[in-house]
Amino acid sequence: MKNLLDYTQAELSEFIQPKFRTKQIYEWIYKKNARSFDEMSNLPKDIRERLKNEFYIEPLEIIKNEISSDGSIKYLFKLKDGKTIESVLLPMKEEVVDENDKTQKHARYTICVSSQVGCKMGCSFCLTAKGGFIRNLTAGEIVGQILWIKRENNIPYERRVNIVYMGMGEPLDNLNNVSKAVNILKDNDGLAIGARRQTISTSGLATQIKKLGEMDLGVLLAISLHAVTDELREKLMPVNKAYNIASVMDAVRQFPIDMRKRVMFEYLIMDKINDNLSDAKALVKLLHGIKAKVNLILFNPHEGSPYQRPSQENVEKFRDYLQSRGVTCTIRQSKGLDISAACGQLKERSKGENSATA
């Protein structure tokens, strides 16, 4: 059987006629949260029977979740083949209600999704790398994470969310399926999550950055930089041997970006590794001429890691230097420190629990 979430409306219309039926199916799934074809009451019975025989619409099931005191929720999902992936719901702004119980400001959410089972990149600070690479996710398995999280958290259809492809895997190593997921999510008859609400993060696959740019999807780009010299970056991120910093920056300079937006550079800051002012000065030079925003991320420690969380003082000095030189820089608010929020943590912890009870 086929995962219906893998299909764009145009592709689905090749199976289902007349064409307006595909719009109805999309609306049932993405707007009305239908979990079975029997719920699709305005479809003729023969179409519903055909759908039941050929497709399914639940590509994943929840194994476990952890809820942080800050409201973040980490999910461990099982796919149809038994493989597992992680996703995170991040509440960014709380709902504001006045004394008459009238909503003044709606809650805002970001959903962080995985694009692969495992990862090939082998970054030394990332727990996902321990398990190696297993396979790419399909477009529908990516879309399914968002659909499930929105539905289960009662996030209304009309409440748009931001999507970040920053979970397990390297999104640009699965560019065809990730780009297809972007287009499915953009569909106005589906979840209608615009491209400018979707950010694709990459460890720096320069050739794939160029391909993504040529697709002109309208998405935002985030570069996992984490170091300002090739020597250090190769130690942290083996991908730098194939795509050094210069090649990544060249690809970024060619990437089409909305004039109102910036390319995000993610900088995972670790104690005594890359958190001093000399690194900040080198970063300013590296970003010269690029409309950039630097997001400083304090390392989220996990068992067995050789790296430590930096001091708040050093991080603030780093940020202040960048800002004094005209570089937009923020310190990402750490979320989920009291749960397995970093990529791969919940999966590893669950393995340990399963082996302990076996």
Side-chain angles (χ1 to χ4, degrees):
M1 294 182 74
K2 301 179 285 286
N3 178 6
L4 192 140
L5 304 187
D6 279 327
Y7 291 81
T8 64
Q9 276 205 74
E11 290 172 336
L12 194 57
S13 67
E14 295 176 9
F15 295 91
I16 304 298
Q17 292 291 335
K19 193 174 181 180
F20 75 88
R21 295 298 184 192
T22 62
K23 180 176 180 177
Q24 291 176 321
I25 294 167
Y26 251 56
E27 289 178 341
W28 273 108
I29 294 172
Y30 295 109
K31 293 185 179 181
K32 300 177 182 178
N33 290 324
R35 302 184 71 165
S36 74
F37 296 113
D38 289 330
E39 296 175 50
M40 302 179 183
S41 55
N42 60 349
L43 295 181
K45 187 177 179 180
D46 64 320
I47 290 182
R48 277 182 279 156
E49 288 300 316
R50 184 181 173 193
L51 288 170
K52 281 194 286 186
N53 290 331
E54 296 185 25
F55 297 94
Y56 59 88
I57 52 178
E58 294 279 4
L60 42 79
E61 62 178 276
I62 184 71
I63 294 178
K64 184 177 183 179
N65 71 340
E66 291 186 354
I67 303 175
S68 170
S69 58
D70 62 27
S72 305
I73 308 176
K74 182 69 172 277
Y75 297 97
L76 182 65
F77 291 116
K78 183 169 73 173
L79 305 170
K80 288 290 187 182
D81 61 0
K83 302 297 186 290
T84 57
I85 56 169
E86 298 176 349
S87 313
V88 188
L89 175 67
L90 300 164
M92 308 309 290
K93 289 187 179 180
E94 294 183 356
E95 188 171 273
V96 177
V97 180
D98 64 18
E99 64 275 8
N100 298 316
D101 246 3
K102 186 175 181 181
T103 301
Q104 297 298 305
K105 290 184 179 179
H106 292 288
R108 293 186 182 180
Y109 300 94
T110 292
I111 299 175
C112 179
V113 297
S114 293
S115 56
Q116 296 179 316
V117 181
C119 186
K120 299 176 186 175
M121 299 302 111
C123 298
S124 63
F125 50 79
C126 180
L127 195 55
T128 301
K130 278 184 63 179
F133 172 76
I134 298 176
R135 69 171 176 86
N136 287 328
L137 295 186
T138 69
E141 289 171 330
I142 296 169
V143 171
Q145 298 169 63
I146 299 153
L147 185 62
W148 194 96
I149 290 172
K150 278 200 74 178
R151 182 182 67 212
E152 297 302 317
N153 287 279
N154 298 313
I155 301 173
Y157 166 76
E158 65 276 5
R159 195 75 58 243
R160 300 295 175 254
V161 297
N162 293 320
I163 307 300
V164 291
Y165 298 83
M166 296 181 183
M168 298 173 69
E170 161 57 64
L172 295 192
D173 190 42
N174 187 18
L175 181 56
N176 287 341
N177 289 323
V178 167
S179 60
K180 187 174 184 181
V182 168
N183 284 322
I184 291 172
L185 293 170
K186 283 165 56 177
D187 193 311
N188 285 331
D189 294 322
L191 290 176
I193 301 172
R196 288 189 296 173
R197 288 186 175 274
Q198 301 188 54
T199 300
I200 295 179
S201 175
T202 176
S203 59
L205 278 62
T207 55
Q208 297 297 85
I209 293 171
K210 291 178 181 178
K211 286 182 181 179
L212 177 63
E214 289 165 1
M215 290 178 174
D216 201 18
L217 296 175
V219 295
L220 303 183
L221 178 67
I223 304 295
S224 296
L225 190 60
H226 310 322
V228 291
T229 67
D230 285 324
E231 181 182 10
L232 176 58
R233 199 165 189 267
E234 284 182 16
K235 291 178 181 177
L236 298 176
M237 307 173 69
V239 68
N240 199 76
K241 296 174 183 176
Y243 301 105
N244 64 15
I245 293 174
S247 69
V248 174
M249 302 309 285
D250 178 62
V252 169
R253 286 186 168 89
Q254 297 178 50
F255 190 83
I257 195 79
D258 188 312
M259 291 304 292
R260 294 169 293 178
K261 300 292 184 178
R262 297 174 183 270
V263 175
M264 183 189 296
F265 287 84
E266 298 166 296
Y267 193 91
L268 183 66
I269 197 161
M270 296 167 276
D271 185 49
K272 297 181 178 62
I273 300 293
N274 60 355
D275 63 342
N276 57 58
L277 277 182
S278 64
D279 293 309
K281 291 174 182 177
L283 184 55
V284 169
K285 291 180 181 178
L286 198 60
L287 299 179
H288 180 70
I290 297 175
K291 194 174 180 183
K293 175 183 178 181
V294 175
N295 198 0
L296 299 179
I297 308 164
L298 280 68
F299 179 68
N300 194 352
H302 56 80
E303 188 177 348
S305 172
Y307 306 115
Q308 299 299 320
R309 194 172 180 83
S311 70
Q312 190 69 27
E313 180 184 3
N314 280 358
V315 175
E316 290 176 0
K317 284 181 180 177
F318 199 108
R319 176 202 61 194
D320 293 346
Y321 181 83
L322 264 61
Q323 290 182 339
S324 72
R325 296 302 187 272
V327 177
T328 300
C329 180
T330 58
I331 300 172
R332 181 187 291 177
Q333 181 183 357
S334 295
K335 290 183 177 289
L337 287 175
D338 54 337
I339 61 172
S340 310
C343 278
Q345 284 188 339
L346 185 54
K347 184 172 182 175
E348 285 297 312
R349 183 180 293 181
S350 296
K351 282 181 183 177
E353 290 173 355
N354 290 340
S355 62
T357 57

